[in-house]
Amino acid sequence: MKISPSIFNAFNICPRQAWLMSRQMTADQDNSYIDIGRLIDDTSFEREKKKIYLADIGAMIDMVTKKDGTYFIAEIKKSSRTLNSGIFQLKYYLFLLKKKSIEIKGIIKIPKEKKSIEVELANEDIEMIECKLKELGDIVKEEKPPPAKWLGVCPKCGHFEFCWS
Ligand code: SF4
């Protein structure tokens, strides 16, 4: 089963959201936090932004940059609050690219905090990703989503109305 990076990222936050996304139940487009994401996406790093869609792995790369002869793919985050999920998502891009024999590094940029964090794919990351893919595969094969479980991110989630109204 091919798991898109956005579903993999959702799974690392909320398995229910990953299930909903796997059924094309998209997030509420009026959600203001999504708008903030779009705003950052549209206004940050204008000069070096080269957004690329890697169709064969289903990944939208925020930016590709080169430093000391090494290429990096970059994810741009709103804040450090979502840093861990951003690192997971980026490692998943690196994992999918490695499967296609493309060795590249990653970088997380947080414009509001003026931070750049380099990310590499280690052997233990590969094992962890393969383990998570199995778990995620089992969940999306289910006919019903996992029950809604209150998480700190729920009020900002695009599926909030679906889960809690
Ligand atoms: S509202 Fe909460 S429980 Fe529902 S999908 Fe979003 S994060 Fe998951």
Side-chain angles (χ1 to χ4, degrees):
M1 182 184 294
K2 194 172 174 182
I3 299 288
S4 73
S6 55
I7 293 178
F8 183 76
N9 190 42
F11 175 69
N12 290 315
I13 299 166
C14 171
R16 179 177 169 87
Q17 189 180 38
W19 189 96
L20 294 171
M21 289 171 70
S22 77
R23 299 299 195 281
Q24 282 77 49
M25 293 184 190
T26 52
D28 176 5
Q29 296 302 299
D30 293 330
N31 183 303
S32 61
Y33 290 90
I34 292 173
D35 286 342
I36 290 166
R38 284 195 195 116
L39 189 68
I40 287 177
D41 196 37
D42 290 343
T43 58
S44 303
F45 303 102
E46 279 295 344
R47 279 171 299 165
E48 54 180 321
K49 189 172 80 170
K50 289 175 188 162
K51 199 152 192 151
I52 297 169
Y53 180 65
L54 301 175
D56 52 350
I57 64 167
M60 185 70 83
I61 306 297
D62 283 327
M63 197 173 76
V64 176
T65 189
K66 193 178 181 185
K67 194 170 115 187
D68 300 329
T70 302
Y71 281 98
F72 292 81
I73 53 172
E75 270 287 283
I76 299 171
K77 306 303 288 180
K78 286 179 278 189
S79 77
S80 303
R81 283 189 62 221
T82 56
L83 181 60
N84 286 341
S85 63
I87 289 173
F88 267 137
Q89 186 178 33
L90 200 44
K91 285 186 175 180
Y92 190 48
Y93 290 166
L94 299 178
F95 171 84
L96 293 173
L97 289 168
K98 190 178 175 68
K99 292 260 175 203
K100 300 199 170 286
S101 305
I102 299 168
E103 300 282 349
I104 192 167
K105 290 184 180 178
I107 193 163
I108 302 266
K109 287 181 177 277
I110 309 171
K112 277 187 176 176
E113 300 173 15
K114 301 190 189 316
K115 282 184 186 167
S116 288
I117 299 138
E118 286 191 14
V119 177
E120 289 188 55
L121 187 71
N123 287 338
E124 52 268 32
D125 296 321
I126 294 170
E127 284 170 22
M128 182 185 60
I129 288 169
E130 284 172 343
C131 195
K132 280 180 174 285
L133 283 175
K134 186 182 175 320
E135 204 183 325
L136 173 53
D138 289 344
I139 284 174
V140 299
K141 269 188 250 164
E142 293 290 328
E143 280 186 19
K144 291 183 179 174
K149 191 172 139 190
W150 184 260
L151 300 169
V153 295
C154 287
K156 296 176 183 176
C157 175
H159 292 98
F160 181 84
E161 293 294 325
F162 183 86
C163 293
W164 300 108
S165 59

